[in-house]
Amino acid sequence: MSEAGGGRGCGCRVPQRASWSLVAATAALYLMLATTVCTAGAAPMSREEKQKLGNQVLEMFDHAYGNYMEHAYPADELMPLTCRGRVRGQEPSRGDVDDALGKFSLTLIDSLDTLVVLNKTKEFEDAVRKVLRDVNLDNDVVVSVFETNIRVLGGLLGGHSLAIMLKEKGEYMQWYNDELLQMAKQLGYKLLPAFNTTSGLPYPRINLKFGIRKPEARTGTETDTCTACAGTLILEFAALSRFTGATVFEEYARKALDFLWEKRQRSSNLVGVTINIHTGDWVRKDSGVGAGIDSYYEYLLKAYVLLGDDSFLERFNTHYDAIMRYISQPPLLLDVHIHKPMLNARTWMDALLAFFPGLQVLKGDIRPAIETHEMLYQVIKKHNFLPEAFTTDFRVHWAQHPLRPEFAESTYFLYKATGDPYYLEVGKTLIENLNKYARVPCGFAAMKDVRTGSHEDRMDSFFLAEMFKYLYLLFADKEDIIFDIEDYIFTTEAHLLPLWLSTTNRNISKKNTTSEYTELDDSNFDWTCPNTQILFPNDPLYAQSIREPLKNVVDKSCPRGIIRVREESFRSGAKPPLRARDFMATNPEHLEILKKMGVSLIHLKDGRVQLVQHAIQAASSVDAEDGLRFMQEMIELSSQQQKEQQLPPRAVQIISHPFFGRVVLTAGPAQFGLDLSKHKETRGFVASSKPYNGCSELTNPEAVMGKIALIQRGQCMFAEKARNIQNAGAIGGIVIDDNEGSSSDTAPLFQMAGDGKDTDDIKIPMLFLFSKEGSIILDAIREHEQVEVLLSDKARDRDPEVENEDQPSSENDSQNQSAEQMLPLPQTVGLADQESPGNPLESPSEPPSPADSEEAAGFAPSEQISSPTETQETAGLDGECTDLDNQLQDQPETEEDPSPNVSWGTKAQPMDSILADWNEDIEAFEMMEKDEL
């Protein structure tokens, strides 16, 4: 997972022997825009309101940090729903995401410099003492080199940077003697064995105690790493070298960056997502600015600012030119293939690219930054948070949201660059949404599904390291901060490194490998800092004029999808390319267009129909490109048809005191009983049934009468349980898994099937909770007796009152084994529209996200396409672009279609047989199976 962050600097040349004050001045010059520009598009925010919002951010941080220290410390992270710490090995594995946890009090270290930025100097001093007293870096645990570098090494260095600053001021930290720096140096040496490869690229993981390859290390066999994983080391490692004088760290990080630059695709100047650390071959050849690559680009620009090495700026500018040429399709940023950069690699975007507008601000390219940021904001206004991935027509692709800070980061930088109060209103919206939808009694909980509002029992350390830092700085005036923030550069995890490092211990042997591999075009580089006259040509409405056309891009316009609009052709009267959603096999004009694109319609002996594309038969290269896009769209649309047959997850929302609707549990639906997507939600107090398994007539009907009955899974069919509690007068039922410790975090959700008989007699709603989610309700009953819940298709608005009450956790003790029929439901952290019928997800250990493998994300085999010249398709959909609000009334992210089959002439083809022909299609669109992120 690449947590792209922000920093200070611009694309301006700084002399190699410049003093640190000059570097600071050039970095600060860019941000002086904040005092010179104020657009009239939004009313100025009063200082009183800014202070009020800043104080609100402080209170929110106290709520998150205080609950971590009370309920989780010294564990790495807080589990805010169960009010306990997440300790590696004591909770069910979440896969790669757990590689950030090293039993080194991750959240505390990641929060050190945030405490100083938020003026909590006494708490900072106490936190540093705790780190020095309690944290052990010699644990027998395998961790991510990337995450440990940006979070722990970066956190220690950021803490050290501000500790020496406070010591110089003379009030705090007078006892400090570089202890954090010594810990950072110890950790740096523990990470160095990861670089023992022929390429110089580091292994993705390392054992803190045993290093690499030793039998007891349990790592060292990996062959691939992500570009960001290998390319996001230079700031922390160079800072460590310059703080300590040990040059080895900067040398290793430079060697890794040099190798990535050498291996870029020369004709496109793009890099892929994952690379073989031994051979240097690209494993995934798609390229973008989101997950897997993001902070590689960020660190090239910031390494130039911090280290003063022109080669880093030259490389960044070369890459940036390629990004804007191929990946940027304003306001979208779409992945392409490094060998065929005119072809899109996917039709969705991941949330990590939200950092890119902030990086564009530092580059000085404001217009596309404003455009992309506004598009992202419109998505947030639609879903309350930025989904982990969303499609080019702004539907949810992966529905989870782990409280990522990248959008807040870009909002901060755009405000600093423009002074436009519009971005203060954006920040205010972020604060309101966090408090309204993510706040729980024990902190802030990640969103498992932005559509239902359900929570996930996680609060990642980057939430405290970055989110509150950027939000506070957004509303703070210069006098609100006890030091000059412009004297520092932000790492990707928002840790602060002083700019004076640029002239400290500069004895690193540097070799400018940039010019050896490319002819540089000076026109591509910005050698001077941007100024207000360039960015805002005497127009106070500049930023607003850019945003305005994008106001309705999400909800009220037909998005252009993946097609690059050829404006010149359209102005001349030419028709736009045929879209797969508009195609009809009985339309002669459409068939003629297919022929022009090199696409043939073939009728097979078994009655099926295939679409085959031969690029060499297309009328022109442009038509061939349109044909490839048409084939990709057809695959996407056909897969979508299958997904629409899935029942979406439901929500169980605890609305009584002290929860007030702030705890939302993801629940599996039933194929019988009241359909919550078509009827009003069911609200009531909960009561346990007797017998608890609900497999016979209830002996306590008076207890469940008019209430929602809790039943344990096992010993009989779900429908039988439903009938028994319905006969006792229950208004709804919640089935709790009897498999102790089961959780929707680590297992795919289920939809409960009937018993093979007519279930029309069941009129009450039935939902399924795993053991962990069910135990939250059972614990609440034990502590508060009267617990009221809401059963619905998605979470409703919560009570604005916030109470800070403990939620003690316990495990649900049960021994019975399940005897019900279970139908798999795609995992609900963004997979509701990923799984195809008949291909259930096989219990992934980690909810898919941009930081996970695409194989784990539940892609059907049919979505993995290969052959550049022969693409076989057998499906098409008719449809028009309509208002998304109308499309999403019952199931917010899918379009209703009653049939899984598509009519071709007079025959309807089964979708599974159609998909069978797609396993060897278009190499240009192949999505590689493994993603180290």
Side-chain angles (χ1 to χ4, degrees), residues 73 103-106 108-109 112 127-139 148 152-157 159-160 175-191 208 240 244 249:
Y73 182 79
K103 299 182 179 179
F104 35 38
S105 301
L106 175 63
L108 180 63
I109 292 177
L112 287 177
V128 172
R129 293 184 186 276
K130 284 185 172 65
V131 169
L132 300 180
R133 183 190 68 202
D134 299 336
V135 172
N136 177 22
L137 298 175
D138 196 39
N139 300 312
T148 304
V152 185
L153 182 58
L156 293 171
L157 291 173
H160 170 70
W175 54 269
Y176 182 70
N177 193 27
D178 294 351
E179 288 87 350
L180 291 177
L181 180 60
Q182 295 308 312
M183 289 185 68
K185 187 175 181 181
Q186 176 192 1
L187 180 60
Y189 278 118
K190 286 184 172 294
L191 296 179
L208 289 176
L240 183 58
T244 64
F249 303 108

Side-chain angles (χ1 to χ4, degrees), residues 244-263:
T244 64
T247 61
V248 62
F249 303 108
E250 185 172 342
E251 290 171 352
Y252 274 71
R254 280 178 176 269
K255 183 179 179 182
L257 271 182
D258 290 346
F259 190 83
L260 289 173
W261 171 254
E262 180 182 350
K263 290 299 180 179

Side-chain angles (χ1 to χ4, degrees), residues 619-746:
S620 67
S621 59
V622 172
D623 291 315
E625 184 178 336
D626 290 339
L628 287 172
R629 292 198 190 97
F630 176 85
M631 304 298 269
Q632 184 190 21
E633 283 189 346
M634 190 63 73
I635 291 172
E636 294 281 344
L637 289 173
S638 299
S639 298
Q640 170 95 24
Q641 277 194 306
Q642 289 189 320
K643 298 165 192 171
E644 289 169 354
Q645 294 181 319
Q646 304 290 332
L647 288 177
R650 306 300 188 210
V652 176
Q653 190 170 10
I654 307 179
I655 58 177
S656 55
H657 174 84
F659 305 97
F660 302 109
R662 297 192 178 279
V663 174
V664 184
L665 308 175
T666 299
Q671 293 185 336
F672 52 84
L674 184 71
D675 186 351
L676 292 170
S677 67
K678 299 179 180 178
H679 298 82
K680 188 176 181 182
E681 69 272 0
T682 297
R683 174 173 179 167
F685 289 92
V686 295
S688 296
S689 62
K690 293 183 181 180
Y692 189 31
N693 59 32
C695 291
S696 59
E697 182 179 348
L698 267 57
T699 60
N700 63 335
E702 69 287 347
V704 301
M705 174 73 72
K707 297 183 179 179
I708 296 172
L710 302 180
I711 338 161
Q712 187 180 53
R713 175 186 175 189
Q715 299 189 6
C716 65
M717 309 298 286
F718 288 123
E720 184 178 349
K721 297 176 188 288
R723 292 187 179 98
N724 287 331
I725 64 172
Q726 179 176 271
N727 291 339
I731 60 174
I734 299 175
V735 178
I736 299 176
D737 194 9
D738 62 340
N739 182 14
E740 184 175 352
S742 65
S743 167
S744 62
D745 292 341
T746 55

Side-chain angles (χ1 to χ4, degrees), residues 113-132:
D113 51 8
T114 302
L115 290 166
V116 182
V117 173
L118 272 55
N119 299 335
K120 297 180 179 295
T121 47
K122 184 179 183 302
E123 290 89 340
F124 172 72
E125 192 159 1
D126 293 340
V128 172
R129 293 184 186 276
K130 284 185 172 65
V131 169
L132 300 180

